[in-house]
Amino acid sequence: MRNSSTNNEERVYLTRGARAAIARLDPSRREALRDGFRRVGWQLLSSAERVSVESGWARGTWPRRRYPQQCYPKTVKYVLDHPEIQRLRLIHGVVSHPPHFVPLDHAWVELPGDIVFDGVVQTFFTRSSYYSVMAAVALDAYSAAATRRLVDTHGRPGPWNAKWVPTARQLEAYAAAVRTRQGVRIAAPLSLNVGRNR
């Protein structure tokens, strides 16, 4: 989906495998999926508070690009490309979006000063607004050194453990954490919503 207009619209970059899978779909499904990919990050970008960071922190980021389903490689790249940032942490956790709050695994980078970098939308946000909009719950945090070691050991950018499966108990714990932190009212327990077509 590298094809986009030449104006200031964001560009969507898919992995080769995703592009090949989309090419095999019938035209109506292909267009529906492409439309979905074009909306990636829309809620985050329209609702969370963006921040400007010093040029060294922004080095190598592409704020007009979107990388759906590439949170792990894009956040690992950021961490490994910025070893000079003290107290930088790669976070593996869970996020969701209204109205259904179906959780999915995700990765982001936390920086000093309560700043978050999201690799999918290539943008920096305040930590509080990011956690609120994304209904984010952190599960693991890795230093730059630990990230390098784990990438070398596993040969991939993550995830590196199976904490989030998700089980019914994990879904309920996630829903409780989101409700407690945000005062969000979820229509039904998440374990009842997951896997059902609505």
Side-chain angles (χ1 to χ4, degrees):
M1 289 197 44
R2 283 173 154 147
N3 57 341
S4 78
S5 62
T6 56
N7 64 17
N8 287 331
E9 289 181 16
E10 286 79 13
R11 295 177 67 155
V12 176
Y13 290 78
L14 301 176
T15 63
R16 182 173 293 134
R19 287 192 310 268
I22 288 172
R24 290 189 297 269
L25 296 174
D26 68 73
S28 65
R29 295 187 102 186
R30 185 180 318 131
E31 191 51 40
L33 191 54
R34 281 186 175 153
D35 185 50
F37 281 135
R38 285 185 201 109
R39 289 191 314 265
V40 163
W42 174 85
Q43 184 174 13
L44 176 61
L45 291 164
S46 65
S47 302
E49 182 182 348
R50 297 184 206 194
V51 296
S52 296
V53 296
E54 59 186 77
S55 62
W57 287 16
R59 183 183 76 248
T61 64
W62 298 92
R64 311 273 325 145
R65 293 184 180 183
R66 305 293 170 259
Y67 295 96
Q69 301 177 333
Q70 299 174 61
C71 62
Y72 291 104
K74 294 303 177 185
T75 53
V76 162
K77 179 180 181 351
Y78 184 87
V79 169
L80 298 180
D81 286 352
H82 296 84
E84 73 283 359
I85 302 175
Q86 299 297 311
R87 298 184 332 271
L88 168 147
R89 295 283 182 257
L90 171 64
I91 306 295
H92 287 177
V94 181
V95 298
S96 65
H97 301 286
H100 303 295
F101 291 98
V102 176
L104 59 134
D105 58 331
H106 190 56
W108 59 94
V109 179
E110 293 190 358
L111 299 142
D114 288 328
I115 296 172
V116 167
F117 173 73
D118 187 279
V120 172
V121 296
Q122 296 282 297
T123 305
F124 298 88
F125 302 93
T126 64
R127 185 180 187 276
S128 61
S129 72
Y130 185 85
Y131 271 68
S132 177
V133 170
M134 297 294 283
V137 174
L139 299 176
D140 293 302
Y142 305 97
S143 67
T147 299
R148 166 70 65 197
R149 191 173 57 256
L150 287 162
V151 168
D152 290 346
T153 299
H154 295 277
R156 59 185 167 80
W160 298 306
N161 68 47
K163 282 185 182 174
W164 180 255
V165 176
T167 64
R169 177 175 276 163
Q170 287 175 320
L171 290 168
E172 293 302 331
Y174 174 77
V178 170
R179 280 192 300 261
T180 299
R181 192 172 66 229
Q182 297 182 339
V184 173
R185 186 158 169 77
I186 298 175
L190 286 175
S191 59
L192 299 177
N193 288 335
V194 173
R196 290 191 179 181
N197 292 328
R198 292 182 151 307

